[in-house]
């Protein structure tokens, strides 16, 4: 293997530097300076938003919406505005937000402060995935330190501005990562996605204008303000990739946006296990259409992946080598969506159960030749008809697997048994 | 049609046709307005769009994906197709998805024949299913209470029923549970389902998932003959269809009436028709011979009644009195008033049988003083002693819609109302404090800037800021201690706020009886006085129709004394009621669903009755009976047809028109004097009134009619009283235990419900349970009495013989 020098990280390093869960080391390293400048009025809201726009930062939760644009949408005259942080990180094989929460809670708190001060919110909620027990403890402890130091709560940084930050744990539903379902859950109801419009920027939490950002997105904000958008962009701009599956060194890697899939797998993550060949990879979590060997040199950025019919999503790269059974993987993936479908809309609720039943039947050696067309039909019936992205996530993987790995399905149908 | 140029419109193209609609119209609504049908399941036009079922897909130019037309606002220049092959494929896909887990038990499903899923599958469905897996399996059917059954396998999770409870009724009666394909509808933590409106969820369910336990398997829709008529239970006059099969009403449905009930009905309306077909209906006249009621011919019975009336009239017309009217039609009331007023010449007529002496119910005309549609536009509702969902459920739906738009709901009562979660202000007081509290509120409003006393701030602020204030005074306030003081204070509040004062009083056709002559004439006695005079021997004949005074008069002893004191009691009745049992002649009469004619609702609106079924045996309509008696007294009432009678109504009361409101008399600005507020009679305890007893209204009861409706009887549950937890703890009353309530006048045994719905120091007893009469415990002129509560279990343990 040739020598590969991993580039310097500017976001992830906060979580990888020991001691950053504590306030003082974080401040000594320059932390909270950006938030202080915003609170003191040295950086006007317009300047913050301008910097975000110039940085090209896009939402890291999955949809990739330009962050500066989103902040601009929040009406400035509203009597009550909220900031809500999406820390539900439920996308399978995504673990970058948890890494940041557990390693650099003050970086997130600083991002939240900047967001709240910029859009005029006095209250921010951090919605954490139920299972993030350690992350929650770490974040709560950091919040306590920040509150004691006057950085959170009444009169932050000695200014006349109040920003209260509340941590809230979900109840364990993948759909709560969808921003409007998250708001429903936060308000105490079943996490079901809301109709849009109105968008959260107009009527979000408790029908008030709400700025909703992902954990990682907000962690980029202090970095951008500290370095300036131009220097920030020199780093790629950077993105956090959660690399998992059949690689030697799974983990979170900060790499420039547009890094080649091949480089992520073979340079950053140490390549495949000895003697194995690359088979497929989900580039952006299980909701993204899997890529195959032909795509190894695709740049991992929003547009390049969209052109292929896939997406960067949460930048969770799930690597699959030739030891895996693609039908089993797809069946397991669809089963996940069946399990997590909220049940609100017809095609997602019924399509996921039906597709799972057909896939299970094929895996158990009871497939019929017409089942492949049936699966394509179910996928077609779900495409573009679902209420929210959850259901829409199923057809691309299913269809891609039928296209690229049809022979594996056909082997099952021809009478092969499980584990051939 | 002239268009206001200031009002912008939107023009879009749907299936090649230009459609112009107001801004804010959805594509679905625009298509429907143009006569283009788009299939729907979750969308319901009385609720905001949800976009869940995905059935209403359309293709829109320059939009990549198919769009749900129910959620898509129409925009200028939009080009929409509802027939594009992509749309057809999408709709087929959705229907196929909906059907994979829907049992095809249409042949035994109540919904079959009127099922949107069935209809749309025929019209838009794929024809055959590719589904070969096992269908979703649920235990079925599940009972959600006395009237509601849920079949979860049939449920397509359109969420209409859930949203009805959230948006229309505000009772959250049904909710979604679990997730994904295991999602199901259920009650939130309690069984049975708690609602006054659950029948509507059956009506709007687009499949046979929610069905009626009283209608289940009784008919196929195409076998039913729907008869349009008016519900006559609470007095709001909701438009209904009586579905008749084999000469029997098998189902009641809401009939659309935008001005009254829109498309909704309460559960008393939905399930309150069984009594009509009861086997206990009277089918022949009864005459008392040798102390026993025995069957007689109409000739014999009518001759006897006529002779007794003639004899009394000849002695003095004022020796005859008439009581009742609630269960009569307008036409019945008019003919009764002519018989007793003109032919017999007695001024002693009153329909207000359930009004106590000295209360405010006798001082003021009953009825609402604004149309329901105007009430729906109100911005403040002050309910004083009016339990809106227990008394006039559909009125609440109007208020709920207004509350959702920001109107303030203010509650002042001796019980907590179930709508309290929607209230901006609530004051729970003991019954004997209601007058003082209403007065304090009026005082605070009039003092203005002085600052209201603690606890009244929110109410004063809301009323002061209100521009369309509605003050609703209910029976509990009017008939309670200091009823006149409550009414006078309410008048002041309404005057001060420029609002409307409503007298929410009267059931059935009380307002029609009030309008068409069943009120005391010149020198005539009101109902309590009629009873007092009867007891004193001043009456020869007491004639009762459209009422059951034995259970309705709020002091049972007053009725008993009247009965003992009067020589001859005539009763028109459908059942052998307590009054009928004591009568000298019982004439079997039709009930309102068997009558053609009109009734008058609480707004003063004239509404149609159409005979849905024929009466049993030889039962006759009330006006026919009155006419036959009049003829025997030498007066010929010649109303050939119903139309002629309606003309007579219009002639008698100018302004009466079908469907239109003729307002009831205004509330006098200054009211008569008042009995001292807070007057409580000493009870069995003899000392200070530590615990007082007051009667309240319940929607579901066990009276002569409701007790013969399977669903309603079950909804009503066992007779019970409400006692506060503090009092229960002090007296050793366990929740659900049997207790004896005793006053100086009587005692009853019933179940105690321990709840903070009632104020401390006060036991509430629902009226309308004939088996346990609250009125046996009350003695006029007192509306509330001191009461002692004795747990029966404790008594038994004490070794009482």
């Amino acid at each position: 293997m040739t020598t590969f020098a991993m580039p310097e990280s500017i976001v992830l390093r906060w979580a990888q530097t020991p001691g950053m869960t504590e306030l003082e080391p974080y401040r000594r390293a320059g932390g909270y300076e950006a938030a202080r400048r915003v609170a003191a009025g040295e950086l006007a809201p317009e300047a913050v938003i301008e910097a975000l726009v110039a940085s090209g930062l896009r939402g890291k939760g999955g949809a990739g919406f330009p962050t500066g644009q989103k902040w601009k949408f929040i009406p400035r005259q509203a009597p009550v505005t909220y900031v809500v942080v999406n820390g539900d990180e439920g996308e399978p094989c995504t673990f970058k937000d948890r890494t940041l929460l557990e390693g650099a809670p003050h970086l997130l708190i600083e991002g939240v402060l900047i967001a709240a001060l910029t859009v005029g919110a006095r209250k921010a909620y951090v919605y954490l995935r139920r299972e993030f027990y350690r992350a929650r403890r770490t974040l709560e402890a950091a919040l306590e330190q920040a509150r004691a130091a006057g950085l959170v709560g009444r009169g932050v940084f000695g200014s006349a501005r109040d920003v209260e930050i509340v941590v809230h744990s979900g109840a364990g539903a993948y759909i709560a990562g969808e921003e409007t379902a998250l708001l429903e859950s936060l308000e105490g109801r079943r996490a079901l996605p809301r109709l849009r419009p109105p968008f959260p920027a107009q009527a979000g939490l408790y029908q008030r204008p709400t700025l909703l950002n992902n954990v990682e997105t907000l962690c980029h904000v202090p970095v951008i303000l500290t370095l300036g958008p131009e220097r920030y962009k020199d780093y790629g701009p950077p993105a956090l990739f959660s690399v998992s599956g059949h690689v030697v060194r799974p983990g979170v890697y900060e790499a420039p946006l547009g890094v080649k899939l091949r480089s992520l797998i073979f340079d950053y993550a140490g390549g495949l296990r000895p003697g194995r060949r690359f088979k497929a990879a989900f580039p952006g979590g299980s909701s993204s259409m899997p890529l195959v060997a032909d795509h190894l040199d695709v740049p991992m950025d929003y547009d390049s992946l969209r052109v292929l019919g896939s997406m960067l999503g949460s930048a969770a790269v799930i690597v699959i080598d030739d030891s895996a059974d693609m039908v089993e993987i797809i069946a397991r993936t669809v089963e996940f969506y069946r399990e997590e479908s909220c049940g609100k809309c017809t095609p997602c609720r019924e399509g996921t159960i039906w597709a799972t039943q057909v896939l299970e039947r094929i895996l158990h050696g009871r497939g019929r030749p017409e089942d492949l067309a049936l699966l394509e039909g179910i996928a077609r019936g779900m495409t573009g008809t679902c209420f929210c992205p959850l259901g829409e996530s199923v057809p691309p993987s299913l269809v891609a697997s039928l296209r690229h790995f049809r022979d594996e399905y056909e082997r099952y149908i021809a009478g092969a048994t499980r584990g051939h | 049609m002239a268009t206001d140029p200031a009002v912008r419109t939107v023009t879009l193209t749907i299936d090649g046709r230009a459609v112009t609609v107001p801004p804010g119209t959805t594509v679905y609504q625009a298509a429907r307005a143009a006569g283009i049908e788009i299939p729907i399941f979750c969308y319901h036009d009385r609720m905001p769009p949800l976009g869940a079922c995905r059935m209403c897909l359309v293709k829109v130019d320059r939009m990549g994906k198919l769009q749900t037309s129910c959620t898509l606002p129409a925009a200028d220049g939009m080009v929409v197709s509802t027939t594009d092959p992509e749309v057809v494929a999408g709709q087929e896909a959705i229907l196929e998805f909906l059907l994979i887990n829907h049992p095809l038990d249409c042949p035994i499903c109540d919904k079959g024949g009127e099922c949107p899923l069935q209809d749309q599958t025929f019209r838009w469905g794929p024809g055959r299913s590719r589904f070969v897996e096992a269908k979703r399996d649920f235990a079925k059917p599940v009972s959600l209470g006395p009237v509601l059954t849920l079949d979860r396998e049939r449920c397509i999770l359109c969420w209409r029923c859930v949203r009805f409870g959230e948006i229309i009724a505000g009772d959250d009666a049904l909710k979604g549970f679990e997730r994904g394909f295991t999602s199901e509808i259920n009650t939130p933590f309690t069984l049975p389902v708690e609602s006054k409106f659950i029948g509507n969820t059956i009506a709007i369910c687009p499949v046979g998932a929610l069905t009626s336990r009283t209608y289940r398997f009784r008919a196929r829709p195409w076998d039913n003959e729907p008869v349009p008529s008016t519900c006559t239970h609470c007095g709001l006059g909701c438009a209904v269809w009586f579905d008749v099969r084999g000469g029997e009403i098998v189902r009641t449905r809401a009939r659309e009436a935008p001005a009254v009930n829109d498309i909704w009905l309460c559960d008393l309306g939905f399930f309150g028709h069984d009594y009509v077909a009861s086997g206990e209906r009277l089918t022949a006249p009864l005459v008392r011979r040798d102390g026993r009621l025995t069957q007689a011919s109409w000739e014999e019975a009518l001759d006897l009644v006529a002779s007794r009336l003639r004899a009394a009239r000849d002695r003095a017309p004022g020796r005859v009195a008439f009581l009742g009217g609630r269960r009569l039609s307008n036409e019945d009331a008019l003919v009764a008033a002519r018989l007793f007023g003109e032919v017999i010449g007695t001024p002693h007529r009153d329909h207000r049988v359930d009004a106590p002496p000295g209360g405010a119910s006798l001082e003021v005309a009953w009825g609402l003083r604004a149309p329901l549609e105007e009430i729906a536009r109100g911005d403040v509702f002050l309910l004083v002693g009016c339990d809106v969902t227990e008394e006039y459920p559909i009125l609440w739906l109007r208020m709920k819609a207004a509350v959702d738009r920001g109107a303030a709901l203010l509650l002042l009562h001796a019980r907590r109302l179930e709508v309290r979660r929607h209230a901006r202000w609530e004051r729970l007081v003991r019954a004997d404090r209601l007058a003082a509290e209403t007065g304090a509120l009026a005082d605070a409003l009039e003092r203005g800037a002085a600052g209201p006393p603690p606890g009244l701030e929110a109410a004063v602020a809301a009323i002061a800021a209100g521009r369309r204030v509605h003050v609703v005074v209910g029976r509990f306030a009017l008939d309670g201690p200091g009823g006149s003081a409550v009414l006078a204070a309410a008048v002041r509040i309404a005057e001060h706020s420029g609002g409307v004062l409503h007298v929410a009083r009267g059931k059935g056709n009380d307002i029609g009886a009030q309008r068409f002559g069943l009120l005391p004439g010149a020198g005539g006695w009101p109902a309590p006085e009629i009873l007092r005079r009867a007891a004193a021997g001043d009456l020869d004949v007491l004639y009762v129709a459209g009422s059951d005074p034995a259970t309705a008069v709020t002091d049972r002893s007053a009725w008993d004394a009247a009965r003992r004191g009067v020589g001859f009691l005539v009763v028109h009745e459908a059942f052998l009621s307590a009054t009928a049992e004591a009568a000298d002649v019982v004439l079997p009469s039709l009930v309102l669903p068997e009558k053609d004619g009109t009734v008058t609702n609480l707004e003063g609106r004239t509404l149609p009755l159409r005979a849905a079924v024929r009466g049993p045996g030889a039962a006759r309509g009330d006006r026919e009976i009155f006419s036959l008696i009049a003829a025997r007294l030498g007066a010929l009432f010649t109303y050939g047809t119903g139309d002629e009678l309606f003309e007579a109504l219009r002639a008698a009361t100018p302004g009466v028109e079908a469907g239109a409101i003729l307002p009831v008399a205004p509330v006098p600005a200054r009211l008569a004097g008042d009995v001292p507020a807070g007057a409580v009679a000493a009870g069995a305890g003899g000392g200070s009134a530590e615990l007082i007893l007051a009667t309240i209204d319940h929607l579901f009861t066990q009276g002569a009619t409701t007790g013969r409706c399977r669903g309603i009887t079950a909804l009503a549950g066992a007779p019970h009283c409400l006692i506060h937890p503090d009092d229960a703890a002090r007296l050793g009353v366990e929740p659900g235990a049997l207790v004896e309530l005793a006053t100086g006048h009587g005692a009853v045994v019933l179940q105690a419900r321990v709840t903070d719905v009632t104020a401390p120091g006060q036991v509430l007893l629902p009226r309308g349970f004939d088996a346990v009469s609250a009125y046996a415990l009350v003695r006029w002129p007192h509306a509330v009495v001191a009461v002692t509560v004795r747990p029966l279990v404790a008594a038994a343990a004490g070794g009482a013989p």
Side-chain angles (χ1 to χ4, degrees):
Chain A
M1 200 168 283
T2 55
T3 53
F4 168 74
M6 217 176 284
E8 181 197 3
S9 80
I10 55 173
V11 179
L12 188 61
R13 77 177 170 90
W14 291 100
Q16 290 173 336
T17 310
M20 279 305 141
T21 54
E22 302 303 313
L23 178 65
E24 277 321 307
Y26 180 73
R27 290 195 89 165
R28 273 200 306 277
Y32 283 120
E33 177 58 14
R36 187 203 59 77
R37 284 162 62 209
V38 177
E42 293 166 27
L43 255 178
E46 293 74 24
V48 173
I49 291 174
E50 221 169 274
L52 292 186
V53 172
S55 74
L57 178 64
R58 294 170 68 164
K60 303 294 188 182
F65 193 83
T67 306
Q69 200 70 271
K70 202 176 204 179
W71 289 32
K72 249 189 225 176
F73 285 152
I74 305 296
R76 303 296 289 279
Q77 269 79 43
V80 179
T81 301
Y82 293 111
V83 169
V84 174
V85 183
N86 187 342
D88 194 57
E89 196 168 58
E91 183 67 22
C93 303
T94 311
F95 39 89
K96 62 191 175 69
D97 290 344
R98 179 171 52 116
T99 304
L100 289 167
L101 282 162
E102 290 176 355
H106 287 289
L107 185 64
L108 174 66
I109 295 169
E110 185 173 7
V112 175
L113 284 170
I114 295 167
L117 293 165
T118 302
V119 302
R122 294 161 55 97
K123 199 154 190 181
Y125 292 88
V126 183
Y127 185 100
L128 291 184
R129 179 177 167 157
R130 178 93 227 165
E131 296 84 352
F132 282 3
Y133 298 105
R134 181 167 160 205
R136 179 170 178 146
R137 270 202 314 276
T138 311
L139 182 61
E140 298 262 28
L143 263 176
E144 220 27 72
Q145 297 165 355
R147 209 174 274 125
L151 313 184
V152 169
R154 306 297 297 265
V156 298
F157 295 97
S159 73
R161 307 284 299 277
D162 305 337
V163 179
E164 192 44 69
I165 300 176
V166 178
V167 180
H168 178 87
S169 288
Y174 171 68
I175 187 62
E178 195 282 333
E179 61 178 14
T180 60
L182 183 151
L183 294 176
E184 285 287 299
S185 170
L186 193 51
E187 288 183 19
R189 286 188 289 272
R190 276 154 56 88
L192 302 185
R194 292 179 183 171
L195 197 60
R196 284 177 293 193
F199 291 91
Q202 310 156 255
L205 187 64
Y206 305 115
Q207 296 302 310
R208 303 289 190 172
T210 301
L211 176 67
L212 244 157
N213 278 134
N214 161 266
V215 167
E216 184 197 337
T217 311
L218 286 170
C219 286
H220 283 247
V221 170
V223 176
I224 290 167
L225 295 187
T226 304
L227 295 179
E230 290 314 313
R231 277 196 60 203
Y232 169 82
K233 281 204 301 198
D234 288 345
Y235 286 85
L240 268 52
F241 292 89
S242 313
V243 185
S244 66
H246 296 147
V247 290
V248 173
R249 284 195 308 273
V252 182
Y253 296 99
E254 181 176 317
L257 209 55
V259 64
K260 298 276 171 40
L261 176 59
R262 183 188 302 278
S263 173
L264 269 180
I265 296 171
F266 293 95
D267 296 336
Y268 286 80
L272 303 172
R273 296 175 298 174
R276 286 294 166 193
R277 281 189 304 115
F278 176 82
K279 185 167 185 174
F282 292 91
S286 67
S287 298
S288 62
M289 189 197 82
L291 305 179
V292 291
D294 293 350
H295 303 130
L296 274 171
D297 287 312
V298 66
M300 295 286 285
D301 62 42
Y302 299 100
D303 295 337
S304 309
L305 287 168
R306 207 190 52 235
V307 167
L308 288 177
S310 189
M311 60 176 184
L312 186 60
S314 60
V317 181
I318 307 166
V319 182
I320 298 160
D321 71 21
D322 60 351
S323 70
D325 179 329
M326 213 53 199
V327 182
E328 273 190 87
I329 286 175
I330 292 300
R332 180 66 190 90
T333 307
V334 177
E335 187 194 356
F336 170 79
Y337 289 97
R338 180 201 72 185
E339 216 43 40
E340 295 296 345
S341 168
C342 77
K344 175 169 180 162
C345 80
T346 308
C348 173
R349 182 184 67 236
E350 304 296 339
T352 51
I353 174 71
W354 192 3
T356 310
Q357 285 172 317
V358 175
L359 287 164
E360 284 296 320
R361 196 159 44 70
I362 291 171
L363 282 173
H364 285 86
R366 296 198 311 276
R368 307 167 305 165
E370 63 265 40
D371 283 337
L372 302 188
L374 175 58
L375 284 172
E376 280 162 346
I378 295 171
R380 200 160 44 241
M382 295 176 71
T383 304
T385 60
C386 295
F387 186 93
C388 85
L390 192 155
E392 298 287 341
S393 302
V394 175
S397 311
L398 188 53
V399 171
S401 72
L402 285 163
R403 183 165 67 238
H404 299 300
F405 306 100
R406 201 174 188 88
D407 53 329
E408 295 190 30
Y409 285 93
E410 283 166 351
R411 274 206 299 280
Y412 271 109
I413 287 170
T417 54
R418 192 168 196 159
H420 60 280
Chain B
M1 197 185 288
T3 49
D4 182 352
V7 176
R8 231 171 49 78
T9 58
V10 167
T11 300
L12 69 166
T13 306
I14 306 178
D15 294 346
R17 289 162 58 183
V19 183
T20 301
V21 291
T25 310
T26 63
V27 169
Y28 170 80
Q29 290 165 329
R32 192 167 65 171
I36 297 166
E37 194 182 353
I38 297 175
I40 50 167
F41 289 112
C42 71
Y43 178 71
H44 189 282
D45 61 7
R46 298 306 195 275
M47 297 186 257
L50 182 68
C53 78
R54 320 305 286 175
M55 190 63 212
C56 64
L57 295 169
V58 294
K59 188 169 170 59
V60 181
D61 272 15
R62 294 198 301 276
M63 287 185 159
K65 294 182 6 173
L66 294 177
Q67 300 290 313
T68 46
S69 59
C70 76
T71 62
L72 183 66
D76 247 335
M78 196 178 251
V79 178
V80 177
S81 169
T82 73
T83 55
D84 185 274
E86 216 182 308
V87 175
V88 172
Q91 288 172 341
E92 283 190 1
I94 299 299
L95 267 174
E96 189 178 25
F97 283 141
L98 285 173
L99 288 170
I100 60 170
N101 280 306
H102 185 84
L104 298 180
D105 58 354
C106 307
I108 57 146
C109 177
D110 280 331
K111 203 76 178 186
E114 54 182 14
C115 173
L117 181 60
Q118 196 179 44
D119 295 347
Q120 294 188 23
T121 300
F122 271 103
R123 172 94 163 70
W124 283 280
R128 64 183 294 269
S129 173
R130 295 172 292 174
F131 188 76
V132 297
E133 327 299 330
K135 283 189 188 250
R136 186 164 48 218
D137 185 36
F138 281 116
K140 65 191 266 182
V142 176
S143 166
L144 295 186
V147 295
L148 187 67
T149 291
L150 170 67
D151 183 325
R152 290 167 295 177
E153 292 180 346
R154 292 181 190 155
C155 177
I156 58 167
L157 296 165
C158 72
W159 310 106
R160 277 185 179 184
C161 57
V162 171
R163 282 163 30 96
F164 172 84
E166 291 169 356
I167 296 165
I168 307 292
D171 58 15
D172 293 302
L174 296 171
K175 286 288 182 190
F177 290 84
E178 300 302 330
R179 293 198 315 220
F181 74 105
T182 57
S183 297
E184 58 175 297
I185 304 303
N186 208 331
T187 57
F189 319 119
T190 55
L191 263 178
V193 64
E194 279 179 25
S195 180
K196 300 282 188 290
F197 302 99
I198 210 68
N200 296 291
T201 64
I202 298 169
I204 62 175
C205 179
V207 293
L210 293 172
T211 52
S212 151
R213 283 185 67 185
T214 61
Y215 176 68
R216 245 169 106 73
F217 305 136
R218 289 200 65 191
R220 306 317 307 255
W222 55 84
D223 290 332
N224 294 340
E225 182 208 347
V227 180
S229 195
T230 300
C231 175
T232 52
H233 281 293
C234 85
L236 279 179
C238 296
V240 294
W241 293 106
F242 288 125
D243 282 349
V244 177
R245 185 183 184 211
E248 188 180 327
I249 299 172
V250 290
R251 175 170 71 165
T252 305
R253 287 178 296 134
R255 185 163 58 85
E256 184 167 356
V260 183
N261 52 306
D262 191 13
I263 60 166
W264 313 117
L265 216 53
C266 77
D267 289 344
L268 183 56
F270 272 114
F271 306 105
H273 56 253
D274 283 353
Y275 76 96
V276 177
S278 162
E280 295 172 287
R281 288 286 300 276
L282 296 177
T283 55
L286 301 172
V287 171
R288 190 167 297 278
R289 294 193 189 95
D290 306 325
R292 289 184 50 221
L293 284 172
T294 48
Q295 277 204 6
S297 70
W298 272 104
E299 288 299 310
E300 184 190 351
L302 290 170
D303 287 347
L304 176 60
V305 170
S307 72
R308 298 297 291 254
L309 282 170
R310 195 181 301 112
R313 178 184 64 179
D314 292 349
R315 195 170 167 202
R319 296 193 68 82
V320 175
F322 177 88
L323 279 179
R326 173 169 294 176
R327 288 191 262 115
L328 300 180
S329 69
N330 289 340
E331 289 77 4
D332 294 333
L334 180 86
V335 176
R338 283 195 63 190
L339 170 62
F340 291 92
E342 295 172 21
V343 180
I344 295 169
T346 176
H348 310 312
R349 312 182 295 268
D350 204 345
H351 71 99
R352 298 169 299 182
V353 175
D354 61 9
S361 284
L362 298 174
E363 293 176 13
V364 63
W366 299 0
L368 306 178
R369 263 62 177 187
L372 289 165
E373 285 180 309
E374 189 183 321
I375 294 174
R377 292 191 291 270
D379 61 4
V380 175
F381 303 111
L382 171 62
L383 307 188
V384 182
C386 174
D387 191 342
V388 62
T389 51
E390 297 286 1
E391 297 179 69
Y392 304 105
I394 291 295
L395 175 60
W396 162 246
L397 298 192
R398 297 285 179 167
M399 292 179 177
K400 166 69 167 61
V403 167
D404 285 349
R405 287 192 298 268
L409 178 67
L410 315 174
L411 306 176
L412 179 53
H413 204 312
R415 68 166 300 178
R416 291 187 197 277
L417 309 197
E418 64 189 22
V419 299
R420 69 179 182 270
R421 75 175 100 166
H422 301 284
R424 190 175 298 175
W425 177 80
E426 183 195 22
R427 188 82 157 185
L428 175 69
V429 296
R430 231 172 70 151
D432 52 345
R433 290 283 307 156
L434 197 57
E437 286 292 327
T438 317
L441 186 55
D443 291 345
L445 266 174
E446 287 169 356
R447 270 202 314 277
L456 297 183
E457 297 94 338
V460 169
I463 296 170
R467 298 174 61 186
R468 295 175 302 281
V469 176
H470 292 270
V471 181
V472 183
V473 181
R475 178 180 183 184
F476 187 89
L478 295 164
D479 292 357
S484 297
V486 178
L487 184 60
V491 167
R492 285 163 57 204
I493 293 168
E495 271 178 9
H496 184 83
S497 61
V500 182
L501 178 74
H502 303 280
V503 180
R505 186 73 166 89
K507 300 274 172 195
N509 193 31
D510 267 328
I511 308 300
Q514 165 179 285
R515 168 160 297 161
F516 295 107
L518 298 180
L519 277 182
W525 303 322
E529 184 65 8
I530 290 175
L531 296 173
R532 199 182 68 78
R533 297 295 188 131
D538 294 343
L539 288 176
D540 291 336
V541 177
L542 181 57
Y543 200 114
V544 175
S547 178
D548 180 14
T551 57
V553 171
T554 61
D555 174 350
R556 179 68 193 251
S557 68
W559 164 255
D560 290 340
R563 173 63 199 103
R564 280 193 304 274
V566 73
F568 194 69
L569 173 65
V570 185
V571 178
H572 292 195
E573 253 300 4
F575 297 102
L576 195 62
S577 63
T579 309
E581 274 179 345
D584 295 296
V585 175
V586 183
L587 302 173
S589 55
L590 300 181
V591 293
L592 285 166
E594 293 163 347
K595 291 178 180 178
D596 287 312
T598 58
V599 288
T600 308
N601 81 347
L602 223 62
E603 303 168 291
R605 190 188 297 273
T606 307
L607 296 164
L609 284 181
R610 233 182 86 189
V613 289
R614 295 156 55 99
R620 285 180 153 148
D622 294 277
R623 67 175 160 86
E624 185 191 350
I625 303 172
F626 294 134
S627 296
L628 290 167
I629 289 168
R632 280 166 168 75
L633 297 177
L636 217 52
F637 294 161
T638 52
Y639 302 117
T641 65
D643 287 350
E644 284 176 36
L645 248 174
F646 191 65
E647 283 308 311
L649 288 179
R650 295 176 60 194
T653 312
V656 168
E657 296 296 342
I661 291 178
L662 173 63
V664 297
V667 179
R670 288 287 165 253
L671 291 153
D674 181 35
V675 295
V680 177
S688 66
E690 198 169 59
L691 209 50
I692 63 167
L693 177 75
T695 48
I696 53 171
D697 278 282
H698 267 197
L699 187 65
F700 307 127
T701 57
Q702 293 173 354
T705 54
T706 53
R708 292 182 170 93
C709 298
R710 287 165 297 157
I712 302 301
T713 307
L715 286 169
H720 60 274
C721 64
L722 309 180
I723 181 165
H724 192 272
D726 294 352
D727 297 320
R730 188 167 47 81
L731 298 166
V733 174
E734 297 291 327
L738 281 182
V739 293
E740 183 194 64
L741 298 186
T743 68
H745 316 295
V748 296
V749 173
L750 37 54
Q751 196 187 59
R753 294 195 186 159
V754 177
T755 166
D756 66 356
V757 157
T758 179
Q762 171 186 263
V763 177
L764 293 177
L765 186 51
R767 56 175 123 244
F769 290 79
D770 286 356
V772 176
S773 175
Y775 305 146
L777 306 180
V778 178
R779 190 65 50 91
W780 288 345
H782 302 285
V784 301
V785 289
V787 66
T788 56
V789 178
R790 196 165 58 94
L792 286 190
V793 179

